[in-house]
Amino acid sequence: MTVVPLVDEGLGNSSYLVDLEDGRALVVDVSLDLRAASAAAERRGLTVAFAADTHLHADFLSGARQLSASQGAQVLASADGQREFGHRGLRDGDEVDLGGLRLRALGTPGHTHEHLSFLLLDGDRPLGVFTGGSLIVGAAARTDLVSPDQTEALARAQYASLQRLIELPDDVAVWPTHGAGSFCSAPPGADRVSTIGREKATNPLLRVDDEDAFVTELLGSLGSFPSYFLRLAEVNRRGPAVLGQAPFLRPLRVDAMRSMDAEVIDVRPMADFAAGHVPGALSIPLRAVFVSWLGWLASGDRPLVIVRRDDQDPAEIAWQAAKIGYHLAGEVHGGLDAWIAAGQPTARLQVIGPGEVAGAVLDVRQDSEFEAGHLPEAEHIELGSLTERLDDVRREPLVVMCGHGERAMTAASLLERAGHRELAVLKGGAPDWAAATGRDLETG
């Protein structure tokens, strides 16, 4: 029996492909971007027979319905999720015969109300448990994605779910969905798989004395999350639309793009954007976390048009957008060169090094990053909150910074669109500034 983790570095998640050793496979928590799962199955000559979802995902569109349509996979999911498309609804204790192996549903609410974990059994011997957003490596997933008034109750349910899971034998593998980099809460740098015994020995939340202390600890660790999380669970409940073809970027002439009242998303590296860009464009450099910032910051009301470099993969851009439910209108055919050739204006932003910082500083990192070390007197607004707090930013010469520069360039593009001028973006982060100046960072 082979379990293949399929890691999405951008979302910080893992899905899993299980070789059932009879030409069929089970996949767990796979997203609509099925490229990795399909490639893994094809390499092993497998057809996906079962697609299981541990919960109604908030951070990506599930690929289970797509697999049902394309390969006839049976969708396995919680009956309490009330999904509006064909699936086998499971409740606590229900089992599915996988053809030698069995999958047992364990009710583990907390991350969501209807959350299930799936225990994989060979006869009566438990091999591993797909824990989704209940027990994750070094932590437990957040409980505040449903509604504020249910967050504490779900945290108490999460405590009970974890207590149930750690009753499994110590050698049982733990295969969580959420991992390092996930906004659903996972410690940075953590391994993506574990065992029950290892989690009992090392997971801080499993060493908390009682339920009240657990709730305090868990809720105190919650940071911000992308705004699109609040709508995707319902899309997954109703059923993501089945794709008839792979998403792609339709080439658009400059005049056609301008007539659409589109929001321009510039995915080129920060240096390219700084050197010249479409006025008002939103800079989100194409990298692993592109999808999270697209869903957090891009408009859901206007067509989205991409500007990219020739060496950036258009399929990757289209798939990243599609897996969170964004349908891109297309791309500027010929990129920025075509925009300039059409006689359109461009804007520029200044990039500075760590030793050139002077004047007011805006730090757009997450709260935990800022508190760990920041420039003295730096103003702090998380990038995800900036669109709501643009009026709080002083209109004066300003250095925008993050950890490396990409998020700072995104923030500067938002500020520029709002009318701010005399902006500079720091290439590097707080440690680089400290090394260049010999000065100490502040904490807290």
Side-chain angles (χ1 to χ4, degrees), residues 51-54 75-81 83 87-91 116 118:
D53 273 341
T54 58
V75 178
L76 308 174
S78 170
D80 291 337
R83 289 165 174 80
H87 69 287
R88 179 173 172 181
L90 302 175
R91 300 188 186 279
L116 294 177
F118 293 110

Side-chain angles (χ1 to χ4, degrees), residues 35-310:
R35 291 176 297 170
S38 297
E42 185 176 344
R43 284 194 300 270
R44 292 164 176 79
L46 303 175
T47 298
V48 177
F50 302 96
D53 273 341
T54 58
H55 59 290
L56 290 166
H57 301 291
D59 48 346
F60 61 85
L61 292 182
S62 168
R65 189 183 190 196
Q66 186 74 28
L67 284 169
S68 177
S70 63
Q71 297 194 37
Q74 184 178 46
V75 178
L76 308 174
S78 170
D80 291 337
Q82 300 181 340
R83 289 165 174 80
E84 295 182 354
F85 58 95
H87 69 287
R88 179 173 172 181
L90 302 175
R91 300 188 186 279
D92 182 50
D94 288 347
E95 293 191 356
V96 178
D97 182 0
L98 303 177
L101 300 174
R102 289 180 295 130
L103 200 67
R104 179 183 296 162
L106 304 177
T108 49
H111 185 45
T112 63
H113 289 292
E114 86 312 331
H115 192 288
L116 294 177
S117 295
F118 293 110
L119 183 64
L120 187 64
L121 300 124
D122 184 1
D124 292 328
R125 181 168 68 94
L127 303 175
V129 58
F130 299 100
T131 56
S134 52
L135 178 62
I136 61 180
V137 179
R142 66 193 311 147
T143 63
D144 59 341
L145 299 181
V146 177
S147 70
D149 63 334
Q150 297 180 54
T151 296
E152 181 177 334
L154 285 170
R156 295 186 182 281
Q158 187 77 296
Y159 175 79
S161 293
L162 266 60
Q163 295 304 306
R164 180 183 189 187
L165 288 169
I166 62 175
E167 293 176 357
L168 294 169
D170 284 355
D171 63 350
V172 170
V174 173
W175 297 309
T177 299
H178 302 307
S182 169
F183 283 104
C184 286
S185 296
D191 292 337
R192 295 191 177 274
V193 298
S194 186
T195 65
I196 293 294
R198 178 181 170 190
E199 290 309 299
K200 285 163 65 176
T202 62
N203 191 321
L205 286 176
L206 298 182
R207 297 200 299 269
V208 174
D209 291 338
D210 57 33
E211 180 180 304
D212 289 339
F214 174 90
V215 170
T216 299
E217 185 79 14
L218 179 62
L219 299 189
S221 69
L222 300 179
S224 56
F225 59 86
S227 53
Y228 77 90
F229 279 25
L230 297 175
R231 62 177 178 82
L232 276 201
E234 177 61 14
V235 178
N236 280 319
R237 189 190 69 80
R238 282 185 259 144
V242 174
L243 301 179
Q245 61 181 353
F248 66 98
L249 294 182
R250 180 166 63 101
L252 296 169
R253 293 169 53 93
V254 171
D255 56 351
M257 182 272 282
R258 293 184 68 237
S259 69
M260 295 169 64
D261 186 32
E263 180 174 19
V264 177
I265 310 297
D266 193 318
V267 306
R268 296 174 301 149
M270 58 176 288
D272 295 64
F273 185 85
H277 55 268
V278 176
L282 175 61
S283 171
I284 310 179
L286 181 62
R287 60 206 195 278
V289 295
F290 166 77
V291 62
S292 293
W293 294 114
L294 180 73
W296 207 331
L297 300 172
S299 170
D301 303 323
R302 298 169 61 193
L304 302 180
V305 174
I306 298 296
V307 171
R308 66 176 177 92
R309 280 196 336 193
D310 289 343

Side-chain angles (χ1 to χ4, degrees), residues 341-355:
Q344 299 301 317
T346 60
R348 298 169 61 90
L349 282 167
Q350 182 184 9
V351 177
I352 62 173

